[in-house]
Amino acid sequence: MQRIIPKSIFFLCFNLLTLISPCQSRFLLPRCDDSNGNYTSNSTYQTNLDSVLSSLVPAAATTTYGFFNRSAGQPPDTVNAIALCRGDADLDTCRSCINDANVSARDLCPNRKGATVWYDDCMLRYSGDTILQNLDSTNGGFIWTPDNIPNSNELYQAIRPLMDRLKSEAAGGDSVRKFSSGSTFGPGFTTIYGLMQCTPDLPEDQCYSCLETATNTIPNCCNASLNVRILYPSCNLRYANSRFFNSTVVFPPPPVEAQPRSPPPSSPPPPPPSKSSKTTVIVIAIVATVSSVILVSVFVCIFIRRKRKPEGQLSENSVHEHGGIDEITTAKSLIYSFGVVRAATNNFSHDNKLGHGGFGVVYKGKLPNGKEIAVKRLSSDSGQGEEEFMNEVLLLAKLQHRNLVQLLGFSLEGSERLLMYEFVQNASLDKFIFDSTKRVTLDWEGRYKIIGGIAKGLLYLHEDSRLKIIHRDLKASNVLLDAQMIPKIADFGMARLFTPEETQANTCRIVGTYGYMAPEYALHGQFSVKSDVFSFGVLLLEIVTGHKNHSFQNGVVIEDLLSHTWKSWRDGNASNLIDPTLRDVSDSIRDMIRCIHIGLLCVQENACDRPTMGSVVLMLSSSSLSLPVPSEPAFFVNTIANLQN
């Protein structure tokens, strides 16, 4: 059970420590373990605890790896302790931090047999239970600053590749150090810096699992903050929009056995190189030189061939990897030169900018024939590579449905990758349902048509088109609204094509948006049509309630939308969930509650219990059709105070 210190006491401790020792490592968070009870003064347990903790600081002075463990005593008075310094902390900082943590742990958790304290540069933990190689990713805490950005999905899309990379790098560390740090470009031309670390006693899979748990809590805990820490006893992560770690890591890899720098005086001098050795060296040098010349020649030829291609021409081989000759023909018919698109957008003028997403900027343009278009210009660091780009081109070229955005063309020239869509006048759905002014203009009839249109678009993708497609990133910002407020599903960069006989697939690369991901996909990489059904259910509940799926404020408690919806439904208060701007339409309350019911059916934890999109369309179109009782949805609940950093 996590013990949360009242905010006033936390700030008092924090301010006192800052005033007393401004140069010392900053205190972050304590956790007093109640599971093992208390010890009495002058007991055997206290003697063992004193012995263990007093030996940690000298240990920090004699080793260079930043991780220490000590044990003392026999059951039931055994005391185990570990200390972990941040991977970029120097030895003096590490030693000083552990010393401070030693004092704080006993001051903040007096007579407790177990405690964990986190500082900026280290963590100290002791317990009567075994600690080493026992994963603990539950009893921790979150710290963030209330500087949340307007578009949380934009932030999560930007940091997801960095989080995935850091997880793999940290988990792949050795037995003395599991630490990684790095940076990526964030929303609004910011740079996001990230750091992850595990206690190195954990095997690789447990470290990765701990960091995966920490990463998955980001959308639920911290209100789209740009400065977040997630602290668990076995691992921790932090990201911020300013550099907070040292670029040079000071802890070296484990030492190898020392070798003498030169032969000892008694050793005979090395024999002169033989004639055959000299010949070998000459042969190697000639082969290396010839190989280099050949490689350079090959690269020059490839470069010249690419430069000779007509402007905007697409490599037939690269398209053939995605399909057959039909796909090559389809793709070629949509090619536009970069110059035409640039002219249509007035050289990508800021005045023509429609928005900025996770993969780049969207501009409004007009072709020479007067047709208005929306141009998505992918940034070079967007994370969407050529494979995802061609994936979106070839999929959208074949899909024709009034509830899917229409692809008009594309340009692939050098580092420039442009997608041209039909211009949709009313931007995306999230601009309406999450805007206090605009959502008033979206009455229940309009919302109901939008829900039905999205459902029909997904049904077309899953069952009615000649392709079977899983979207994998359905969310409010990926649903566009035209002049008649007809919804159009957009952004197929992460879509996956299924063969007719396929029902489920696995992936190691999790793509999409936290909060809309089905649990089996977010945790295990398993996706199917039921993954899209889950995302649709979340989106449906957002449309009815007018609230985003994460960080829902329910009085003084912060919880996610699915948790709040389930509790209200279970307690018979479903009508309280409805967007206040809709509650006056009394004759439609029944339909709104029915939609909440359908949404809960779609977000059930077990994928087999969720309906297909065909069943959902039928439920929405027939009010006389009886609905099954939903089971508890998949959601993550963790209520915690917002602690200033």
Side-chain angles (χ1 to χ4, degrees):
M1 187 78 182
Q2 182 174 337
R3 182 174 182 267
I4 304 300
I5 293 182
K7 191 184 285 189
S8 58
I9 297 178
F10 179 88
F11 284 127
L12 177 61
C13 295
F14 178 83
N15 291 333
L16 284 174
L17 285 169
T18 303
L19 288 172
I20 295 170
S21 53
C23 296
Q24 294 180 345
S25 183
R26 184 164 42 170
F27 174 75
L28 297 178
L29 197 69
R31 189 207 74 183
C32 303
D33 187 358
D34 296 324
S35 60
N36 289 321
N38 295 349
Y39 64 85
T40 57
S41 299
N42 301 317
S43 63
T44 303
Y45 192 95
Q46 182 179 15
T47 302
N48 293 335
L49 179 61
D50 291 342
S51 172
V52 165
L53 295 184
S54 63
S55 66
L56 284 175
V57 176
T62 58
T63 188
T64 58
Y65 309 123
F67 179 67
F68 327 101
N69 71 89
R70 291 290 184 271
S71 296
Q74 300 296 322
D77 297 309
T78 304
V79 178
N80 302 297
I82 63 171
L84 176 69
C85 289
R86 211 170 77 180
D88 61 336
D90 59 55
L91 293 178
D92 289 338
T93 302
C94 176
R95 188 163 49 246
S96 174
C97 185
I98 293 175
N99 189 54
D100 292 341
N102 189 337
V103 175
S104 298
R106 286 190 276 191
D107 285 347
L108 295 172
C109 303
N111 297 101
R112 298 292 179 88
K113 286 191 173 182
T116 307
V117 293
W118 288 270
Y119 275 68
D120 198 14
D121 296 302
C122 69
M123 175 202 73
L124 171 69
R125 180 185 178 194
Y126 60 83
S127 173
D129 296 329
T130 302
I131 296 178
L132 290 179
Q133 297 184 343
N134 277 347
L135 174 63
D136 187 346
S137 58
T138 56
N139 300 311
F142 320 133
I143 300 176
W144 72 92
T145 55
D147 54 355
N148 52 302
I149 64 172
N151 190 338
S152 58
N153 290 333
E154 200 173 322
L155 171 64
Y156 300 144
Q157 278 194 337
I159 67 174
R160 185 175 62 243
L162 174 64
M163 296 291 107
D164 291 343
R165 177 168 62 84
L166 296 183
K167 275 186 294 189
S168 298
E169 290 178 358
D174 53 37
S175 60
V176 295
R177 189 168 174 275
K178 285 183 166 60
F179 171 83
S180 62
S181 62
S183 63
T184 189
F185 291 109
F189 304 103
T190 60
T191 300
I192 304 296
Y193 299 89
L195 177 153
M196 290 190 182
Q197 186 170 18
C198 293
T199 58
D201 58 298
L202 293 180
E204 181 176 350
D205 59 337
Q206 289 189 12
C207 175
Y208 191 92
S209 173
C210 185
L211 293 173
E212 181 82 353
T213 300
T215 303
N216 289 339
T217 63
I218 291 174
N220 301 296
C221 75
C222 307
N223 291 330
S225 171
L226 286 170
N227 193 347
V228 170
R229 299 173 192 261
I230 298 181
L231 306 167
Y232 290 132
S234 293
C235 68
N236 65 84
L237 72 79
R238 182 184 180 188
Y239 67 85
N241 60 340
S242 59
R243 181 182 287 275
F244 58 87
F245 52 79
N246 298 322
S247 58
T248 303
V249 177
V250 300
F251 293 127
V256 295
E257 185 177 347
Q259 299 293 332
R261 293 179 179 269
S262 58
S266 59
S267 300
S274 65
K275 210 169 188 182
S276 61
S277 299
K278 290 181 179 179
T279 303
T280 302
V281 171
I282 293 172
V283 170
I284 291 173
I286 293 173
V287 171
T289 303
V290 172
S291 300
S292 300
V293 171
I294 293 173
L295 285 173
V296 170
S297 301
V298 170
F299 283 125
V300 169
C301 291
I302 293 172
F303 178 76
I304 292 173
R305 286 190 63 187
R306 292 192 64 179
K307 293 296 285 184
R308 285 178 178 172
K309 283 184 183 180
E311 184 179 26
Q313 182 174 334
L314 186 67
S315 166
E316 290 192 3
N317 290 335
S318 65
V319 181
H320 187 70
E321 290 173 1
H322 293 78
I325 300 302
D326 290 342
E327 290 193 344
I328 298 171
T329 305
T330 301
K332 282 189 172 182
S333 68
L334 296 173
I335 295 175
Y336 280 73
S337 72
F338 177 73
V340 169
V341 184
R342 180 171 55 191
T345 59
N346 193 19
N347 197 21
F348 304 103
S349 167
H350 182 77
D351 294 336
N352 286 6
K353 183 177 176 180
L354 296 174
H356 187 280
F359 289 139
V361 183
V362 180
Y363 298 90
K364 182 180 179 181
K366 183 179 288 188
L367 295 174
N369 62 6
K371 186 173 183 63
E372 291 185 319
I373 58 173
V375 178
K376 181 164 73 171
R377 186 184 193 186
L378 277 68
S379 58
S380 58
D381 57 352
S382 65
Q384 182 174 6
E386 188 167 333
E387 181 179 352
E388 289 91 346
F389 177 82
M390 290 309 304
N391 188 42
E392 189 160 3
V393 169
L394 295 172
L395 285 179
L396 281 174
K398 294 183 176 185
L399 299 176
Q400 299 294 327
H401 192 276
R402 74 191 302 255
N403 295 120
L404 304 181
V405 69
Q406 182 183 0
L407 179 72
L408 301 178
F410 73 97
S411 176
L412 180 61
E413 181 180 323
S415 61
E416 291 286 354
R417 291 168 292 164
L418 308 173
L419 291 168
M420 299 165 49
Y421 301 98
E422 60 177 314
F423 177 67
V424 182
Q425 292 84 345
N426 283 313
S428 54
L429 177 60
D430 62 315
K431 299 295 191 298
F432 280 84
I433 58 174
F434 302 140
D435 185 280
S436 58
T437 302
K438 284 188 176 182
R439 75 181 181 192
V440 177
T441 65
L442 195 56
D443 59 14
W444 174 245
E445 182 181 0
R447 297 194 198 197
Y448 197 69
K449 288 180 179 177
I450 290 171
I451 292 170
I454 299 170
K456 291 173 183 175
L458 276 182
L459 175 60
Y460 173 79
L461 292 176
H462 292 177
E463 299 179 24
D464 294 343
S465 75
R466 65 189 182 92
L467 305 172
K468 185 177 182 181
I469 294 171
I470 314 300
H471 189 279
R472 294 205 294 175
D473 198 18
L474 182 68
K475 56 185 177 181
S477 60
N478 282 343
V479 175
L480 306 181
L481 301 172
D482 70 6
Q484 287 75 45
M485 301 299 283
I486 295 174
K488 294 178 180 290
I489 300 173
D491 202 338
F492 284 76
M494 298 302 167
R496 169 69 187 268
L497 178 65
F498 267 32
T499 60
E501 61 274 9
E502 272 188 299
T503 58
Q504 178 179 295
N506 286 31
T507 181
C508 296
R509 184 186 175 208
I510 308 299
V511 297
T513 304
Y514 295 117
Y516 293 92
M517 288 184 187
E520 69 275 7
Y521 179 48
L523 298 177
H524 308 296
Q526 299 172 354
F527 62 94
S528 64
V529 292
K530 296 298 184 74
S531 310
D532 280 353
V533 172
F534 183 94
S535 302
F536 173 81
V538 175
L539 181 55
L540 189 158
L541 294 174
E542 289 183 326
I543 294 172
V544 177
T545 64
H547 286 287
K548 295 183 180 181
N549 61 66
H550 58 82
S551 298
F552 181 88
Q553 189 77 34
N554 179 24
V556 296
V557 176
I558 297 176
E559 57 185 350
D560 64 279
L561 179 58
L562 300 191
S563 172
H564 178 68
T565 301
W566 171 253
K567 291 174 184 176
S568 298
W569 174 270
R570 181 192 60 195
D571 298 339
N573 299 320
S575 59
N576 294 337
L577 297 167
I578 298 170
D579 187 338
T581 64
L582 300 175
R583 290 178 188 169
D584 294 337
V585 191
S586 57
D587 56 337
S588 299
I589 293 293
R590 181 181 175 186
D591 289 337
M592 298 176 197
I593 295 177
R594 183 177 176 85
C595 280
I596 293 172
H597 191 161
I598 295 171
L600 286 173
L601 290 173
C602 292
V603 298
Q604 294 178 99
E605 184 165 10
N606 189 338
C608 297
D609 293 337
R610 299 172 207 149
T612 63
M613 288 312 302
S615 298
V616 170
V617 170
L618 188 60
M619 293 175 189
L620 291 169
S621 59
S622 175
S623 58
S624 61
L625 185 69
S626 60
L627 305 179
V629 177
S631 61
E632 184 175 285
F635 53 77
F636 179 87
V637 180
N638 198 337
T639 304
I640 188 164
N642 177 2
L643 303 178
Q644 288 275 6
N645 183 8

PDB file of all heavy atoms in Angstrom, residues 203-216:
ATOM      1  N   PRO A 203      17.154  -8.976 -13.908  1.00  0.00           N
ATOM      2  CA  PRO A 203      17.446  -9.479 -15.258  1.00  0.00           C
ATOM      3  C   PRO A 203      16.814  -8.561 -16.301  1.00  0.00           C
ATOM      4  O   PRO A 203      15.955  -7.732 -15.985  1.00  0.00           O
ATOM      5  CB  PRO A 203      16.813 -10.880 -15.270  1.00  0.00           C
ATOM      6  CG  PRO A 203      15.804 -10.857 -14.176  1.00  0.00           C
ATOM      7  CD  PRO A 203      16.299  -9.897 -13.137  1.00  0.00           C
ATOM      8  N   GLU A 204      17.217  -8.709 -17.548  1.00  0.00           N
ATOM      9  CA  GLU A 204      16.788  -7.797 -18.617  1.00  0.00           C
ATOM     10  C   GLU A 204      15.276  -7.727 -18.752  1.00  0.00           C
ATOM     11  O   GLU A 204      14.704  -6.648 -18.889  1.00  0.00           O
ATOM     12  CB  GLU A 204      17.410  -8.234 -19.947  1.00  0.00           C
ATOM     13  CG  GLU A 204      17.032  -7.334 -21.115  1.00  0.00           C
ATOM     14  CD  GLU A 204      17.747  -7.723 -22.405  1.00  0.00           C
ATOM     15  OE1 GLU A 204      18.657  -8.563 -22.344  1.00  0.00           O
ATOM     16  OE2 GLU A 204      17.380  -7.186 -23.471  1.00  0.00           O
ATOM     17  N   ASP A 205      14.601  -8.887 -18.714  1.00  0.00           N
ATOM     18  CA  ASP A 205      13.150  -8.874 -18.931  1.00  0.00           C
ATOM     19  C   ASP A 205      12.415  -8.164 -17.804  1.00  0.00           C
ATOM     20  O   ASP A 205      11.426  -7.457 -18.041  1.00  0.00           O
ATOM     21  CB  ASP A 205      12.620 -10.301 -19.115  1.00  0.00           C
ATOM     22  CG  ASP A 205      12.920 -11.196 -17.915  1.00  0.00           C
ATOM     23  OD1 ASP A 205      13.873 -10.885 -17.167  1.00  0.00           O
ATOM     24  OD2 ASP A 205      12.201 -12.202 -17.724  1.00  0.00           O
ATOM     25  N   GLN A 206      12.886  -8.319 -16.558  1.00  0.00           N
ATOM     26  CA  GLN A 206      12.230  -7.643 -15.442  1.00  0.00           C
ATOM     27  C   GLN A 206      12.471  -6.137 -15.480  1.00  0.00           C
ATOM     28  O   GLN A 206      11.578  -5.353 -15.163  1.00  0.00           O
ATOM     29  CB  GLN A 206      12.704  -8.232 -14.114  1.00  0.00           C
ATOM     30  CG  GLN A 206      12.195  -9.633 -13.849  1.00  0.00           C
ATOM     31  CD  GLN A 206      12.502 -10.104 -12.438  1.00  0.00           C
ATOM     32  OE1 GLN A 206      12.893  -9.326 -11.567  1.00  0.00           O
ATOM     33  NE2 GLN A 206      12.330 -11.395 -12.198  1.00  0.00           N
ATOM     34  N   CYS A 207      13.667  -5.721 -15.863  1.00  0.00           N
ATOM     35  CA  CYS A 207      13.950  -4.292 -16.004  1.00  0.00           C
ATOM     36  C   CYS A 207      13.043  -3.687 -17.063  1.00  0.00           C
ATOM     37  O   CYS A 207      12.434  -2.637 -16.858  1.00  0.00           O
ATOM     38  CB  CYS A 207      15.423  -4.085 -16.357  1.00  0.00           C
ATOM     39  SG  CYS A 207      15.863  -2.356 -16.702  1.00  0.00           S
ATOM     40  N   TYR A 208      12.937  -4.361 -18.209  1.00  0.00           N
ATOM     41  CA  TYR A 208      12.087  -3.844 -19.293  1.00  0.00           C
ATOM     42  C   TYR A 208      10.629  -3.774 -18.847  1.00  0.00           C
ATOM     43  O   TYR A 208       9.922  -2.809 -19.126  1.00  0.00           O
ATOM     44  CB  TYR A 208      12.216  -4.730 -20.526  1.00  0.00           C
ATOM     45  CG  TYR A 208      11.581  -4.147 -21.768  1.00  0.00           C
ATOM     46  CD1 TYR A 208      12.329  -3.373 -22.648  1.00  0.00           C
ATOM     47  CD2 TYR A 208      10.230  -4.358 -22.053  1.00  0.00           C
ATOM     48  CE1 TYR A 208      11.751  -2.818 -23.780  1.00  0.00           C
ATOM     49  CE2 TYR A 208       9.650  -3.805 -23.177  1.00  0.00           C
ATOM     50  CZ  TYR A 208      10.418  -3.038 -24.047  1.00  0.00           C
ATOM     51  OH  TYR A 208       9.832  -2.479 -25.153  1.00  0.00           O
ATOM     52  N   SER A 209      10.178  -4.799 -18.121  1.00  0.00           N
ATOM     53  CA  SER A 209       8.802  -4.822 -17.638  1.00  0.00           C
ATOM     54  C   SER A 209       8.529  -3.667 -16.682  1.00  0.00           C
ATOM     55  O   SER A 209       7.478  -3.022 -16.749  1.00  0.00           O
ATOM     56  CB  SER A 209       8.525  -6.162 -16.943  1.00  0.00           C
ATOM     57  OG  SER A 209       7.256  -6.164 -16.334  1.00  0.00           O
ATOM     58  N   CYS A 210       9.485  -3.395 -15.796  1.00  0.00           N
ATOM     59  CA  CYS A 210       9.323  -2.298 -14.836  1.00  0.00           C
ATOM     60  C   CYS A 210       9.228  -0.955 -15.569  1.00  0.00           C
ATOM     61  O   CYS A 210       8.355  -0.129 -15.290  1.00  0.00           O
ATOM     62  CB  CYS A 210      10.489  -2.301 -13.861  1.00  0.00           C
ATOM     63  SG  CYS A 210      10.345  -1.078 -12.521  1.00  0.00           S
ATOM     64  N   LEU A 211      10.122  -0.734 -16.524  1.00  0.00           N
ATOM     65  CA  LEU A 211      10.122   0.527 -17.272  1.00  0.00           C
ATOM     66  C   LEU A 211       8.888   0.628 -18.164  1.00  0.00           C
ATOM     67  O   LEU A 211       8.373   1.720 -18.406  1.00  0.00           O
ATOM     68  CB  LEU A 211      11.393   0.637 -18.107  1.00  0.00           C
ATOM     69  CG  LEU A 211      12.688   0.790 -17.301  1.00  0.00           C
ATOM     70  CD1 LEU A 211      13.900   0.720 -18.210  1.00  0.00           C
ATOM     71  CD2 LEU A 211      12.689   2.103 -16.512  1.00  0.00           C
ATOM     72  N   GLU A 212       8.411  -0.508 -18.677  1.00  0.00           N
ATOM     73  CA  GLU A 212       7.182  -0.510 -19.474  1.00  0.00           C
ATOM     74  C   GLU A 212       5.998  -0.081 -18.617  1.00  0.00           C
ATOM     75  O   GLU A 212       5.146   0.708 -19.044  1.00  0.00           O
ATOM     76  CB  GLU A 212       6.942  -1.920 -20.038  1.00  0.00           C
ATOM     77  CG  GLU A 212       5.704  -2.052 -20.902  1.00  0.00           C
ATOM     78  CD  GLU A 212       5.952  -1.601 -22.330  1.00  0.00           C
ATOM     79  OE1 GLU A 212       7.040  -1.068 -22.644  1.00  0.00           O
ATOM     80  OE2 GLU A 212       5.032  -1.766 -23.136  1.00  0.00           O
ATOM     81  N   THR A 213       5.931  -0.587 -17.383  1.00  0.00           N
ATOM     82  CA  THR A 213       4.870  -0.173 -16.465  1.00  0.00           C
ATOM     83  C   THR A 213       4.949   1.320 -16.195  1.00  0.00           C
ATOM     84  O   THR A 213       3.928   2.029 -16.210  1.00  0.00           O
ATOM     85  CB  THR A 213       4.989  -0.945 -15.138  1.00  0.00           C
ATOM     86  OG1 THR A 213       4.870  -2.345 -15.392  1.00  0.00           O
ATOM     87  CG2 THR A 213       3.895  -0.525 -14.157  1.00  0.00           C
ATOM     88  N   ALA A 214       6.147   1.824 -15.962  1.00  0.00           N
ATOM     89  CA  ALA A 214       6.322   3.253 -15.711  1.00  0.00           C
ATOM     90  C   ALA A 214       5.912   4.073 -16.911  1.00  0.00           C
ATOM     91  O   ALA A 214       5.214   5.099 -16.784  1.00  0.00           O
ATOM     92  CB  ALA A 214       7.778   3.538 -15.334  1.00  0.00           C
ATOM     93  N   THR A 215       6.300   3.650 -18.103  1.00  0.00           N
ATOM     94  CA  THR A 215       5.962   4.390 -19.326  1.00  0.00           C
ATOM     95  C   THR A 215       4.456   4.420 -19.553  1.00  0.00           C
ATOM     96  O   THR A 215       3.895   5.449 -19.940  1.00  0.00           O
ATOM     97  CB  THR A 215       6.663   3.744 -20.535  1.00  0.00           C
ATOM     98  OG1 THR A 215       8.067   3.705 -20.302  1.00  0.00           O
ATOM     99  CG2 THR A 215       6.400   4.533 -21.793  1.00  0.00           C
ATOM    100  N   ASN A 216       3.798   3.300 -19.315  1.00  0.00           N
ATOM    101  CA  ASN A 216       2.360   3.221 -19.569  1.00  0.00           C
ATOM    102  C   ASN A 216       1.541   4.066 -18.607  1.00  0.00           C
ATOM    103  O   ASN A 216       0.364   4.335 -18.869  1.00  0.00           O
ATOM    104  CB  ASN A 216       1.890   1.766 -19.492  1.00  0.00           C
ATOM    105  CG  ASN A 216       2.373   0.947 -20.665  1.00  0.00           C
ATOM    106  OD1 ASN A 216       2.720   1.496 -21.712  1.00  0.00           O
ATOM    107  ND2 ASN A 216       2.417  -0.362 -20.513  1.00  0.00           N
TER     108      ASN A 216
END
